[in-house]
Amino acid sequence: QVQLVESGGGLVQPGGSLRLSCAASGISVSTNAMGWYRQAPGKERDLVARIIRGGMTSYADSVKGRFTISRDNSKNMVYLQMNSLKPEDTAAYYCNIFPPDIIVSWGQGTQVTVSS
Protein backbone atom coordinates (compact mmCIF):
# COMPACT_ATOMS: atom_id res chain seq x y z
CA GLN A 1 0.00 0.00 0.00
CA VAL A 2 1.01 3.59 -0.56
CA GLN A 3 1.34 6.02 2.29
CA LEU A 4 2.25 9.70 2.10
CA VAL A 5 2.92 11.55 5.33
CA GLU A 6 3.49 15.30 5.29
CA SER A 7 5.08 17.23 8.12
CA GLY A 8 6.82 20.50 8.91
CA GLY A 9 3.95 22.95 8.76
CA GLY A 10 3.17 25.49 11.39
CA LEU A 11 2.54 29.13 12.16
CA VAL A 12 5.04 31.56 10.70
CA GLN A 13 5.19 35.32 10.27
CA PRO A 14 5.16 36.92 6.84
CA GLY A 15 8.63 36.78 5.35
CA GLY A 16 9.50 33.68 7.31
CA SER A 17 10.50 30.23 6.11
CA LEU A 18 9.37 26.65 6.55
CA ARG A 19 10.60 23.34 5.23
CA LEU A 20 7.97 20.71 4.56
CA SER A 21 8.76 17.02 4.37
CA CYS A 22 6.95 14.16 2.69
CA ALA A 23 7.73 10.61 3.73
CA ALA A 24 6.64 8.15 1.07
CA SER A 25 6.18 4.43 1.38
CA GLY A 26 4.88 1.98 -1.17
CA ILE A 27 6.12 4.14 -4.03
CA SER A 28 9.50 5.42 -5.09
CA VAL A 29 9.97 9.18 -5.29
CA SER A 30 12.85 8.60 -7.68
CA THR A 31 10.78 6.80 -10.29
CA ASN A 32 7.62 8.87 -9.96
CA ALA A 33 7.07 12.49 -10.71
CA MET A 34 6.12 14.11 -7.42
CA GLY A 35 4.34 17.30 -6.59
CA TRP A 36 3.42 19.54 -3.72
CA TYR A 37 -0.16 20.75 -3.66
CA ARG A 38 -2.01 23.16 -1.43
CA GLN A 39 -5.61 23.80 -0.58
CA ALA A 40 -6.92 26.88 1.15
CA PRO A 41 -10.35 26.89 2.80
CA GLY A 42 -13.12 26.99 0.22
CA LYS A 43 -10.71 26.58 -2.68
CA GLU A 44 -9.63 23.70 -4.84
CA ARG A 45 -6.38 21.86 -4.36
CA ASP A 46 -3.73 23.21 -6.72
CA LEU A 47 -0.25 22.14 -7.73
CA VAL A 48 2.44 24.52 -6.51
CA ALA A 49 5.63 22.61 -7.33
CA ARG A 50 6.68 19.42 -9.08
CA ILE A 51 9.79 17.38 -9.65
CA ILE A 52 10.03 14.81 -12.41
CA ARG A 53 12.01 11.61 -12.65
CA GLY A 54 15.06 13.30 -14.13
CA GLY A 55 15.13 15.91 -11.38
CA MET A 56 13.78 18.86 -13.31
CA THR A 57 11.44 21.10 -11.37
CA SER A 58 8.70 23.57 -12.09
CA TYR A 59 6.57 25.90 -10.02
CA ALA A 60 3.32 27.77 -10.02
CA ASP A 61 3.77 31.44 -10.78
CA SER A 62 2.53 32.32 -7.32
CA VAL A 63 5.47 30.60 -5.62
CA LYS A 64 8.21 30.83 -8.24
CA GLY A 65 11.42 32.17 -6.79
CA ARG A 66 10.30 31.53 -3.23
CA PHE A 67 9.70 27.77 -3.04
CA THR A 68 12.07 24.94 -3.89
CA ILE A 69 11.08 21.30 -4.29
CA SER A 70 13.69 18.61 -3.80
CA ARG A 71 13.99 14.93 -3.01
CA ASP A 72 16.27 12.49 -1.27
CA ASN A 73 16.06 9.22 -3.13
CA SER A 74 17.94 7.28 -0.48
CA LYS A 75 15.39 8.32 2.14
CA ASN A 76 12.44 8.24 -0.25
CA MET A 77 11.55 11.75 0.86
CA VAL A 78 10.34 14.87 -0.90
CA TYR A 79 10.80 18.35 0.51
CA LEU A 80 9.45 21.81 -0.05
CA GLN A 81 11.56 24.72 1.12
CA MET A 82 9.36 27.78 1.46
CA ASN A 83 10.94 31.21 1.85
CA SER A 84 9.54 34.73 1.94
CA LEU A 85 6.18 33.38 2.99
CA LYS A 86 3.09 35.47 2.43
CA PRO A 87 -0.34 35.35 4.06
CA GLU A 88 -1.76 34.04 0.79
CA ASP A 89 0.44 30.96 1.17
CA THR A 90 -1.76 29.88 4.07
CA ALA A 91 -3.16 26.46 3.19
CA ALA A 92 -2.97 22.77 3.87
CA TYR A 93 -0.05 21.34 1.93
CA TYR A 94 0.02 17.85 0.45
CA CYS A 95 2.48 15.76 -1.48
CA ASN A 96 1.45 13.25 -4.10
CA ILE A 97 2.46 11.83 -7.42
CA PHE A 98 2.16 14.08 -10.44
CA PRO A 99 -0.33 14.02 -11.91
CA PRO A 100 -2.53 12.73 -9.09
CA ASP A 101 -4.18 9.39 -9.66
CA ILE A 102 -6.99 7.71 -7.82
CA ILE A 103 -4.71 4.75 -7.15
CA VAL A 104 -2.65 6.89 -4.75
CA SER A 105 -4.58 8.35 -1.85
CA TRP A 106 -3.95 11.77 -0.40
CA GLY A 107 -2.29 12.01 2.97
CA GLN A 108 -3.42 14.11 5.90
CA GLY A 109 -1.52 17.18 4.76
CA THR A 110 0.30 19.68 6.91
CA GLN A 111 -1.08 23.08 7.75
CA VAL A 112 0.87 26.22 6.95
CA THR A 113 -0.41 29.46 8.43
CA VAL A 114 1.31 32.72 7.59
CA SER A 115 0.17 35.50 9.88
CA SER A 116 1.54 38.26 12.03
Side-chain angles (χ1 to χ4, degrees):
Q1 65 175 6
V2 177
Q3 188 173 21
L4 300 167
V5 181
E6 302 92 344
S7 62
L11 175 64
V12 64
Q13 293 184 342
S17 297
L18 286 173
R19 183 175 183 253
L20 307 184
S21 298
C22 172
S25 60
I27 58 169
S28 171
V29 305
S30 67
T31 58
N32 286 278
M34 301 293 296
W36 280 97
Y37 306 77
R38 68 185 182 188
Q39 186 172 31
K43 299 181 179 179
E44 68 178 15
R45 183 156 39 202
D46 291 326
L47 177 73
V48 297
R50 68 179 178 93
I51 183 167
I52 66 173
R53 183 174 178 176
M56 291 175 286
T57 60
S58 63
Y59 303 89
D61 288 342
S62 59
V63 307
K64 193 173 298 181
R66 301 187 296 117
F67 290 11
T68 303
I69 187 172
S70 62
R71 67 186 178 208
D72 186 330
N73 294 338
S74 67
K75 297 180 179 179
N76 209 36
M77 299 277 289
V78 185
Y79 306 96
L80 185 68
Q81 178 66 45
M82 305 185 295
N83 299 325
S84 302
L85 283 162
K86 305 175 180 179
E88 50 263 45
D89 295 320
T90 296
Y93 284 73
Y94 304 83
C95 65
N96 209 329
I97 58 172
F98 176 83
D101 194 288
I102 195 171
I103 198 170
V104 179
S105 298
W106 297 94
Q108 84 288 351
T110 185
Q111 179 68 39
V112 172
T113 302
V114 184
S115 176
S116 60

